[in-house]
Amino acid sequence: MNDIFSIKEAIHKIEHFCAYQERCHEEVAQKLRSMKMDSEEIDSIMVHLISDNFLNEERFACSFARGKHRIKHWGKIRIVNELKSKKITQTLINIALKEISPEEYATTFHTLAERHWESIRERNLLKKRKKFCDYMLRRGFESNLVFEKVKELEHSKEE
């Protein structure tokens, strides 16, 4: 495979890359750098992609937040951290989080929490609590929600 691409070839290839799934600017720039493009060429290609609507950070952020919540059941904290790692601005992150309705978020949280609580086969209550909290926090749910839920699940078990 040839390692050196003309601008036209690079544009064609990167248009397909962007059309396949939503991309953030950072991913596209990284891909162009891996194609051995210099910074001026990268800038001109990025301008082309944005003007032809192949690249849109707001659209990416919203799609990312919706997908990660609905498919991978991530909480808001994890989504925010992942978007920040992709160099998405705080303004766009706030817009993206509005894509997840409070009702949908609560439903996902409670369903996931109850399913995971039941799946933990630990007899020691302290260890079970720790495993549950670690899992839910790793998923990116807020600590106050997790700790309230663990108390609720422990009390429902006692009755």
Side-chain angles (χ1 to χ4, degrees), residues 27-73:
E27 287 173 319
V28 174
Q30 186 67 42
K31 178 76 171 175
L32 289 167
R33 284 191 291 275
S34 77
M35 294 167 68
K36 312 267 191 291
M37 307 303 284
D38 68 31
S39 59
E40 287 176 16
E41 292 170 327
I42 290 174
D43 290 343
S44 69
I45 292 171
M46 295 290 273
V47 167
H48 165 78
L49 292 171
I50 293 166
S51 65
D52 286 5
N53 210 17
F54 280 99
L55 207 52
N56 182 325
E57 291 255 90
E58 182 177 342
R59 194 174 63 207
F60 166 78
C62 291
S63 166
F64 183 90
R66 271 192 319 270
K68 294 300 180 188
H69 178 70
R70 290 187 182 144
I71 297 164
K72 290 200 168 185
H73 306 299

Side-chain angles (χ1 to χ4, degrees), residues 2 4-17 32 35 37 41-42 44-45 48-49 52 54:
N2 61 340
I4 296 156
F5 294 91
S6 71
I7 294 270
K8 261 192 168 149
E9 288 172 327
I11 286 175
H12 185 71
K13 196 170 177 71
I14 213 76
E15 281 177 352
H16 282 281
F17 182 69
L32 289 167
M35 294 167 68
M37 307 303 284
E41 292 170 327
I42 290 174
S44 69
I45 292 171
H48 165 78
L49 292 171
D52 286 5
F54 280 99

Side-chain angles (χ1 to χ4, degrees), residues 91-121:
T91 311
L92 292 178
I93 290 173
N94 293 340
I95 292 168
L97 290 177
K98 289 180 183 152
E99 291 287 309
I100 305 166
S101 72
E103 300 80 31
E104 180 186 2
Y105 191 73
T107 303
T108 302
F109 172 75
H110 293 298
T111 306
L112 185 67
E114 285 159 15
R115 185 181 326 133
H116 189 65
W117 182 259
E118 293 304 316
S119 75
I120 301 172
R121 298 281 165 242

Side-chain angles (χ1 to χ4, degrees), residues 57 61 83-84 86-96:
E57 291 255 90
L83 286 171
K84 281 181 182 173
K86 294 180 180 297
K87 298 188 170 102
I88 305 296
T89 64
Q90 190 59 51
T91 311
L92 292 178
I93 290 173
N94 293 340
I95 292 168

